[in-house]
């Protein structure tokens, strides 16, 4: 009798199979679709090849291109196809390593730089390999055998030297083989679209003292249409690049005189300040208190907070009268000092302290990018001091706040991630468990879907992170809500409870946009510069049809300006169509052309930046409609 | 025949006198009052004793206690009286030096610390000397004779060694004499009020390695009533000290963790932000553009701007990837970089760039004081780029702005000072002359009174400074408007003029409040914490008469809060009178007590922080009245 094993699927259903069945056979047993789309399998949380035999009761999950982990396997296998293509064209080429990356894969090889034609040839050869639908097989061999196998490749030999195990794995496909941990897709034919993107130079193991290699980048997909979509998206991303739009729309610029500290032109400053105003308005409603704290602090502060030990290299330091100071890299310790400056009682809690403080972090100049990777920035952060029994309600309020900002204001989808106690943690287990339970209960009760990131919390407490999706389906980790049982203890910040005892409050660190700079970079791309009216640096452009209408155009401008609408009049000697086009390029939401007709009736004829005629309106009506758009923060321009 | 000389008086009148007449005799010839009040005399701009004989045609001006210079002579003479009192009580005491200071005088003497009783004795003895009305006489003697005279006093001998002249002056009064340049008042009887203030230790010549001396401080006046007024003022100043009020009203605090960088509590932050809002509102009306620029800059920027050479010690420097950077100590160079980042034309001028940037200056920790002397601050500064022909109109607009802020908003008097070309200047003489003429013409045309400070302009251009008087009659240099022909050249920042040529604009540096921090310190004292409604951190406090009225009190609070009025409700279990008193101590402008009567009629009964009953109002009417007070920024609380 054949021995049976129990297989548990992600939906917790259980099926019996014969012992020794492969994962691929199980996939076939479930559906034809799954058999075709499965790339690899997770057996008891370990990713394996599909031809892995299963000999005991297991929990399994098939990985497809939909899964982040499935994509990584797919792209890793594509790197092997890339390497096979290169070595079959130029057999003398020495392979080094070739991983999957966030989007696609690369392979570093030792040879001369590639020409454009050579890159084309590689792509063609890759398609040959795909068409052949070569079977991909894993073989485990003794390390010594492997050394013999790779004796002509010093890079692989160097890697082999470092492996601790006596047995290593090699993957074979066609005539090609590579030293590799795997796992891989079962055959090369699963790749339907393959593109070589570019080649650049790189050093063996990233060390400038080592030999220079050629790094060839590629991307691949299980469907042709997916590559087409991806290419369209890349073009869109290029067009929307916030650095490009930042220049075209006159929003900001960077300078070698202060790398990583962007300069904001007047128009960029308007957006910056509107984002801050959005929060100031909410702070009034939600009873936050704004404060102002120093930018530089004596090292002593950072020693108490623990940042001197853990974060020193990220801070700019300076000498002040013989003592070491640092530019603040976060507002939190200053807020604890402010909390401690007064005697606090339970009546003061929750105390919500917010600041738009200027933060500096010492990032390498090579990593700086426009607004999304900077050295100087402002966070919309706040620190909330709560008693333990207030935690649930406060977290509820925080999720409401986050929801308001992303769903109601920016109309962006997000997903939540709950990160729990890491291996190294401080505080007592009971508090941790209670806090984690509180967060889970909260998310469940409010009906939020969330993933759990076991062990990925901060050492001082669990946290909820928000991943926001932009219009190009890119995901950005923005808001974060972190519980902290640590900092109040370190500074011995306490409040007097009802019973007269002094207690340490729980401190919640939270930021909703994250940093104003980075968020601005993201929404410039999200909106492609076509901001909703409330965020548009210029909300209305007035254009007179001719010389005679100039006076009325100025009158309209003055009227709107006095009513707090950001408006410009275009009075220079150019044609109306030129001026309309110019306003559209500047993404001004409302473009008004006025002539004798409008002047007589005291009206304005309005078109949108999309060149849609929105109608003729009494000037006052138009003003009221625009003010309403501003107030409601809507993205719809129709009046 | 007696030879005659011509004496020219400050009003340019000329009188003839006999040669050899003393200044005191001339004073007698003018009026009895002047004879009595004259303390010293300025002969051809040099200050001299009144018994100085005049032997040639001269320009003279008598100095009284009204003149700053007169006060200084008076207090210097009072220091001699102090020294005479001390040495007549304790003849073994060694005198060192005893100057007049900004307010009063001190004398440093070598002896044991004084007890309180001894200080009292000194004051009594000083009054004896005053009553004796000792004549004060100057005697010029050879340096060698002086050495003999002061042979027992090593301090005076040390000073004598350093004198270059062979003849030195000694002043005598009664049995007392002192080595002194003078001048002095003619007799000790002119001092009518004399007060010993305190004693502290000081080192000979301020050097810690030298002997420790006792410094005795005093103040004196020509009228008894003046001392009484002064004492009252001191008490008022003490009561209003912004550090004291800052703590009592919960506005701000300072910490050793960052000396000179004040922390602002929520209430202080409200005032801080309201001051910035005041300017943002005006900027909209006056067409200023707000920008954001970096906080740290590569040394290269400061080298171009010239600050590295002239201002380096006042800047905090740091290392960034092996290069020297500095925390910005002013916004101007960054604004020129921003100006240069775009191609500018005459159509863009005047370009008014404003920023509420964070500035750091490396002040010695010993000199730091609350908000008035800090290391970190924000200026309400702007840099205006104008073509030369726009200068007059722009300066007119600037004076209008200054006038609006000080006369209309803060109701403070000010006087103007025009500082002209210094000896060392850059730029051509013609531009200087034209600019100075423009400023004079402007001030004359607008009917402003002003004094001219010859040669006190910046090396890069002339300037107008504003000295503002607070309610205690103290004068503060606040606003400054400076022309700059230099910075645009240094950075080669240009605009294209109508004729197609590229020109350097004139740059106007201007700040109206100066720094927000210092201005806040000044107005805390000016208002004694009783801010006008628009600046009050809490504008209304609601107090229920009993438990039954709590709900209505909360309703009133919610209503006002929703209408953008800063309001708190006092619901804790204390008596109404206790709560009213508490609100008054917190200087809340409007205190509302509500009970059944008010609840029924939906009204509020309002009293001011001065405990004046302002009446009963419909809730909505009260709200409108308060909003009107806020909008008009009035200081009057009556409704």
């Amino acid at each position: 009798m054949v021995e049976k094993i129990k297989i548990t699927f992600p939906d917790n259903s259980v099926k019996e199979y014969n012992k020794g069945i492969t994962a691929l056979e199980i996939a076939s047993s479930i559906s034809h679709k799954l058999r075709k789309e499965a790339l690899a399998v997770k057996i008891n949380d370990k990713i394996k090849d599909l031809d892995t035999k299963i000999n005991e009761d297991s929990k399994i999950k098939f990985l497809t291109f939909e899964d982040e982990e499935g994509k990584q396997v797919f792209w890793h296998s594509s790197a092997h196809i890339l390497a096979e293509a290169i070595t079959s064209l130029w057999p003398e080429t020495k392979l080094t390593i070739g991983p999957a990356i966030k989007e696609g894969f690369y392979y570093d090889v030792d040879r001369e730089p590639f020409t454009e034609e050579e890159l084309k040839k590689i792509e063609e050869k890759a398609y040959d390999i795909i068409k052949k639908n070569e079977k991909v097989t894993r073989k485990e061999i003794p390390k010594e055998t492997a050394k013999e196998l790779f004796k002509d490749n010093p890079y692989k030999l160097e890697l082999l030297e470092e492996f601790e195990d006596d047995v290593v794995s090699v993957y074979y496909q066609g005539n090609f083989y590579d030293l590799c941990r795997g796992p891989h897709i079962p055959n090369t034919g699963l790749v339907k679209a393959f593109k070589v993107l570019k080649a650049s130079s790189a050093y063996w193991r990233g060390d400038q003292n080592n030999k220079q290699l050629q790094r060839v980048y590629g991307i691949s997909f299980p469907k042709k249409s997916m590559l087409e979509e991806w290419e369209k998206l890349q073009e869109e991303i290029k067009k929307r690049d916030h650095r490009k739009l930042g220049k075209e729309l006159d929003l900001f610029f960077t300078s070698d005189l202060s790398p990583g500290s962007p300069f904001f032109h007047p128009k960029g400053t308007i957006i910056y300040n509107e984002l801050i105003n959005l929060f100031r308005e909410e702070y009034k409603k939600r009873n936050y208190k704004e404060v102002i704290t120093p930018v530089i602090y004596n090292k002593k502060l950072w020693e108490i907070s623990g940042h001197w030990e853990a974060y020193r290299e990220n801070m700019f330091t300076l000498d002040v009268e013989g003592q070491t100071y640092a530019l603040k890299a976060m507002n939190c310790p200053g807020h604890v000092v402010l909390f401690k400056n007064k005697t606090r009682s339970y009546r003061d809690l929750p105390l919500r302290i917010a600041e738009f403080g200027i933060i500096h972090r010492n990032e390498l100049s090579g990593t700086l990018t426009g607004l999304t990777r900077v050295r100087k920035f402002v966070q919309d952060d706040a620190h909330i001091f709560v008693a333990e029994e207030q935690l649930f309600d406060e977290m509820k309020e925080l999720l409401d706040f986050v929801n308001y900002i992303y769903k109601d204001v920016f109309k962006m989808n997000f997903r939540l991630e709950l990160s729990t106690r890491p291996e190294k943690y401080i505080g007592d287990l009971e508090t941790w468990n209670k806090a984690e339970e509180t967060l889970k209960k909260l998310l469940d009760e409010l009906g939020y879907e969330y993933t759990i990131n076991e062990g990925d919390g901060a050492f001082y407490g669990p946290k909820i992170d928000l991943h926001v999706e932009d219009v190009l389906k890119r995901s950005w980790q923005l808001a974060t809500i972190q519980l902290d049982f640590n900092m109040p203890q370190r500074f011995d910040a306490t409040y007097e409870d009802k019973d007269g005892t002094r207690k340490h409050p729980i401190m919640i660190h939270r930021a909703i946009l994250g940093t104003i700079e980075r968020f601005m970079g993201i929404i410039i791309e999200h909106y492609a510069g076509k901001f909703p009216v409330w965020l548009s640096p210029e909300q209305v452009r007035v254009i007179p049809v001719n010389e005679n209408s100039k006076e009325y155009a100025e009158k309209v401008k003055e009227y709107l300006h006095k009513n707090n609408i950001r408006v410009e009049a275009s009075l220079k000697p150019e044609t109306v169509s030129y001026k309309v086009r110019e306003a559209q390029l500047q993404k001004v939401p409302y473009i008004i052309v006025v002539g004798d007709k409008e002047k007589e009736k005291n009206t304005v004829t309005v078109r949108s930046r999309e060149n849609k005629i929105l109608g003729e309106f009494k000037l006052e009506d138009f003003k009221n409609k625009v003010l309403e758009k501003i107030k409601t923060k809507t993205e719809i321009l129709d009046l």
Side-chain angles (χ1 to χ4, degrees), chain A:
Chain A
M1 204 182 91
V2 187
E3 218 177 309
K4 296 282 181 185
I5 53 169
K6 281 190 177 129
I7 299 295
T8 309
F9 295 96
D11 62 356
N12 285 325
S13 65
V14 179
K15 275 194 189 168
E16 277 197 352
Y17 290 97
N18 289 341
K19 184 175 170 179
I21 191 170
T22 68
L24 194 60
E25 286 163 349
I26 296 179
S28 301
S29 84
I30 293 170
S31 76
H32 181 62
K33 186 168 179 278
L34 185 62
R35 196 222 177 286
K36 267 183 64 187
E37 290 183 358
L39 302 172
V41 65
K42 249 175 142 169
I43 305 173
N44 298 326
D45 288 330
K46 284 203 176 108
I47 308 178
K48 299 277 182 186
D49 297 321
L50 282 174
D51 63 2
T52 307
K53 286 189 165 69
I54 306 174
N55 293 313
E56 53 189 6
D57 292 354
S58 301
K59 202 179 75 176
I60 77 167
K61 182 187 181 225
F62 289 101
L63 297 175
T64 70
F65 200 75
E66 298 291 297
D67 305 293
E68 219 33 65
E69 289 165 321
K71 269 197 187 107
Q72 290 293 305
V73 171
F74 189 85
W75 283 333
H76 188 187
S77 299
S78 302
H80 277 210
I81 296 173
L82 175 67
E84 181 180 356
I86 293 171
T87 48
S88 70
L89 287 166
W90 303 284
E92 74 287 0
T93 307
K94 299 256 179 298
L95 299 176
T96 70
I97 57 158
I101 54 178
K102 202 177 162 236
E103 231 177 49
F105 53 87
Y106 67 77
Y107 214 111
D108 282 349
V109 299
D110 181 2
R111 60 151 274 162
E112 295 294 283
F114 292 98
T115 63
E116 280 301 313
E117 290 85 64
E118 287 173 335
L119 292 179
K120 237 176 237 158
K121 266 193 190 167
I122 296 171
E123 193 172 298
E124 284 161 18
K125 180 59 82 182
Y127 272 109
D128 288 348
I129 296 162
I130 289 166
K131 266 181 219 137
K132 279 191 216 156
N133 195 14
E134 294 171 351
K135 191 168 155 47
V136 181
T137 332
R138 177 190 179 93
K139 233 170 144 177
E140 292 185 359
I141 58 175
K143 196 166 160 177
E144 290 311 310
T145 317
K147 279 187 186 168
E148 183 58 28
L149 195 61
F150 294 102
K151 66 176 189 298
D152 297 332
N153 185 321
Y155 304 102
K156 300 287 178 187
L157 288 176
E158 191 177 322
L159 293 173
L160 275 166
E161 278 308 327
E162 291 164 14
F163 288 170
E164 282 179 8
D165 292 342
D166 290 335
V167 171
V168 300
S169 58
V170 176
Y171 276 81
Y172 291 79
Q173 60 194 47
N175 297 324
F176 174 83
Y177 57 88
D178 199 357
L179 179 70
C180 183
R181 285 212 170 84
H184 281 283
I185 60 176
N187 46 61
T188 59
L190 282 168
V191 179
K192 302 294 182 199
F194 189 103
K195 192 174 171 70
V196 173
L197 296 171
K198 62 172 179 177
S200 61
S201 61
Y203 294 97
W204 168 237
R205 307 201 131 175
D207 184 339
Q208 286 196 345
N209 301 314
N210 288 341
K211 188 143 189 214
Q212 204 180 50
L213 309 171
Q214 301 308 316
R215 175 169 296 178
V216 184
Y217 286 93
I219 185 104
S220 61
F221 295 94
K223 285 183 190 166
K224 280 241 179 286
S225 62
M226 287 170 97
L227 175 60
E228 281 158 24
E229 268 169 47
W230 182 84
E231 283 176 325
K232 241 188 260 169
L233 188 70
Q234 296 317 300
E235 243 172 72
E236 192 57 37
I237 287 173
K238 229 191 220 163
K239 260 205 302 201
R240 287 169 183 247
D241 187 312
H242 73 279
R243 291 163 299 182
K244 185 171 158 282
L245 284 172
K247 197 178 154 65
E248 286 168 13
L249 302 179
D250 219 6
L251 302 178
F252 73 93
F253 67 98
T254 54
S255 161
D256 283 347
L257 292 166
S258 190
S261 295
F263 288 68
F264 291 89
H265 274 303
K267 287 183 179 172
T269 305
I270 287 170
I271 298 175
Y272 201 101
N273 285 344
E274 284 293 354
L275 291 173
I276 288 177
N277 283 342
L278 168 66
F279 278 81
R280 287 208 165 122
E281 284 303 314
E282 284 307 304
Y283 286 171
K284 266 189 216 163
K285 289 180 203 149
R286 294 169 192 271
N287 200 16
Y288 280 67
K289 308 284 183 191
E290 195 180 327
V291 301
I292 300 169
T293 64
V295 170
I296 61 175
Y297 285 101
N298 196 308
K299 189 179 80 170
K300 285 175 201 156
L301 177 98
W302 306 109
E303 283 171 346
I304 301 172
S305 72
H307 289 103
W308 191 251
E309 202 190 319
Y311 205 73
R312 189 186 338 188
E313 297 103 69
N314 296 83
M315 300 204 284
F316 291 114
T317 56
L318 63 159
D319 177 276
V320 178
E321 291 183 350
Q323 302 216 31
T324 302
Y325 276 58
L327 293 188
K328 72 173 161 191
M330 57 278 300
N331 289 312
C332 32
H335 291 181
V336 186
V337 172
L338 189 135
F339 179 91
K340 258 199 88 162
N341 177 253
K342 288 187 64 187
T343 310
R344 308 284 179 180
S345 103
Y346 69 94
R347 282 194 213 91
D348 301 323
L349 306 187
L351 184 65
R352 307 182 183 95
I353 293 178
E355 179 172 13
F356 299 100
I358 291 180
I359 306 291
H360 285 86
R361 290 188 186 162
N362 193 356
E363 306 280 353
L364 293 176
S365 54
T367 65
L368 301 169
T369 316
L371 296 180
T372 47
R373 189 79 182 256
V374 290
R375 280 178 176 159
K376 176 213 168 207
F377 54 88
V378 167
Q379 290 180 311
D380 65 324
D381 68 341
H383 296 96
I384 305 172
F385 297 88
V386 292
E388 207 180 312
E389 60 272 23
Q390 296 170 325
L391 189 56
F392 186 86
D393 285 345
E394 192 59 31
M395 290 298 296
K396 198 168 157 183
E397 151 62 22
L398 277 172
L399 284 172
D400 179 75
F401 198 166
V402 163
N403 219 40
Y404 169 73
I405 294 296
Y406 286 105
K407 286 269 191 252
D408 296 353
V409 178
F410 292 105
K411 278 101 186 160
M412 289 167 107
N413 290 321
F414 59 82
R415 59 183 181 81
L416 296 177
E417 210 173 78
L418 169 62
S419 297
T420 57
R421 196 183 69 247
E423 271 182 46
K424 280 190 183 174
Y425 66 93
I426 62 127
D428 62 295
L429 204 61
E430 203 194 335
T431 314
W432 269 92
N433 290 341
K434 225 154 116 188
E436 288 179 3
E437 279 318 306
T438 302
L439 296 186
K440 280 180 197 164
K441 197 181 134 207
L442 177 82
L443 292 170
D444 291 337
E445 195 168 289
L446 297 176
Y448 282 102
E449 281 194 32
Y450 60 98
T451 51
I452 290 188
N453 219 338
E454 288 290 357
D456 205 39
F459 69 94
Y460 47 74
K463 61 172 181 162
I464 295 176
D465 287 334
L466 196 89
H467 296 261
V468 176
E469 196 182 89
D470 70 10
V471 77
L472 302 181
K473 308 276 177 210
R474 291 175 300 180
S475 176
W476 305 91
Q477 200 255 291
L478 294 175
T480 185
I481 306 171
Q482 312 184 345
L483 303 192
D484 182 351
F485 314 130
N486 177 30
M487 192 97 69
Q489 268 91 336
R490 276 182 171 268
F491 282 87
D492 196 25
T494 58
Y495 68 95
E496 188 181 286
D497 208 351
K498 290 186 188 95
D499 60 5
T501 60
R502 299 213 68 83
K503 288 186 182 161
H504 293 117
I506 296 177
M507 189 173 172
I508 304 173
H509 307 239
R510 76 111 189 89
I512 296 183
L513 300 185
T515 78
I516 309 290
E517 280 76 1
R518 182 157 166 269
F519 186 77
M520 216 172 125
I522 290 165
I523 58 167
I524 290 172
E525 300 189 0
H526 177 69
Y527 290 120
K530 291 178 181 170
F531 300 103
V533 186
W534 71 279
L535 267 183
S536 290
E538 186 183 336
Q539 294 161 328
V540 178
R541 173 99 37 116
V542 189
I543 300 170
V545 291
N546 54 36
E547 276 293 313
N548 292 335
S549 326
K550 266 191 179 177
E551 202 185 314
Y552 181 61
E554 291 235 54
K555 209 191 108 192
V556 169
K557 180 194 151 185
E558 276 315 305
Y559 174 78
L560 296 174
H561 177 71
K562 275 204 183 119
N563 280 284
N564 290 316
I565 292 169
R566 294 187 290 263
V567 56
E568 297 292 339
S570 184
L571 303 175
K572 53 191 175 181
E574 303 280 357
T575 65
V576 171
S577 60
Y578 175 92
K579 289 185 196 176
V580 168
R581 177 90 188 110
E582 192 184 48
Q584 284 166 347
L585 284 174
Q586 284 295 302
K587 328 268 192 207
V588 180
Y590 297 111
I591 301 159
I592 290 177
V593 180
V594 291
D596 291 345
K597 189 188 73 172
E598 284 85 1
K599 187 179 160 182
E600 242 167 62
K601 295 193 281 173
N602 204 32
T603 60
V604 288
T605 301
V606 186
R607 74 175 83 194
S608 78
R609 62 188 158 208
E610 316 291 357
N611 217 17
K612 182 175 166 190
I613 303 291
L614 301 176
E616 190 183 338
F617 302 89
K618 283 269 166 210
L619 180 53
E620 193 187 343
D621 289 346
F622 173 69
K623 178 260 296 179
N624 289 335
K625 280 168 186 287
V626 173
L627 288 179
E628 185 65 19
K629 295 283 173 191
I630 293 170
K631 202 178 144 200
T632 55
K633 300 192 165 59
T634 177
E635 290 176 24
I636 297 154
L637 295 187
D638 289 7
L639 293 173

